[in-house]
Amino acid sequence: MAKRCMVTGKGPRIAHRVSHSHRRTKKRVLPNLQVKRYWLPSERRFVRLTVSAKGMRIIDRRGVERVVAEIRRRGIRV
């Protein structure tokens, strides 16, 4: 599974793990990604999207047709 949201573009980030003595080491923080199937009425088929929790809320607000059109405009195959 890709570690990047198809809607928002969120990806892994770098943060610090801080010990009791306050030494800092780097750690990788992954976004909350889910693989979801959405029904596209215009194409009469399901599409699988790797989306973050924020991306799901954007799809609920704007609609799946509009979001998939934006993803395709960026050159991502759906």
Side-chain angles (χ1 to χ4, degrees):
M1 173 170 52
K3 300 284 192 247
R4 190 158 296 279
C5 176
M6 296 171 99
V7 178
T8 61
K10 285 185 179 191
R13 304 192 74 157
I14 302 298
H16 283 105
R17 185 177 283 123
V18 182
S19 70
H20 178 69
S21 63
H22 212 65
R23 290 186 61 153
R24 294 181 182 149
T25 55
K26 292 189 176 181
K27 70 175 181 174
R28 199 163 179 234
V29 180
L30 300 175
N32 180 13
L33 294 180
Q34 310 294 325
V35 176
K36 295 273 295 177
R37 280 179 33 178
Y38 288 98
W39 176 253
L40 274 182
S42 64
E43 297 179 17
R44 300 190 63 206
R45 71 182 186 104
F46 283 100
V47 291
R48 284 176 52 141
L49 300 177
T50 303
V51 291
S52 61
K54 174 85 174 186
M56 287 183 217
R57 290 173 55 209
I58 290 171
I59 291 172
D60 289 343
R61 226 179 343 222
R62 295 185 195 163
V64 69
E65 295 281 345
R66 186 171 157 198
V67 172
V68 167
E70 291 171 6
I71 291 170
R72 287 180 174 153
R73 246 181 273 132
R74 285 188 306 209
I76 299 172
R77 189 171 159 266
V78 178

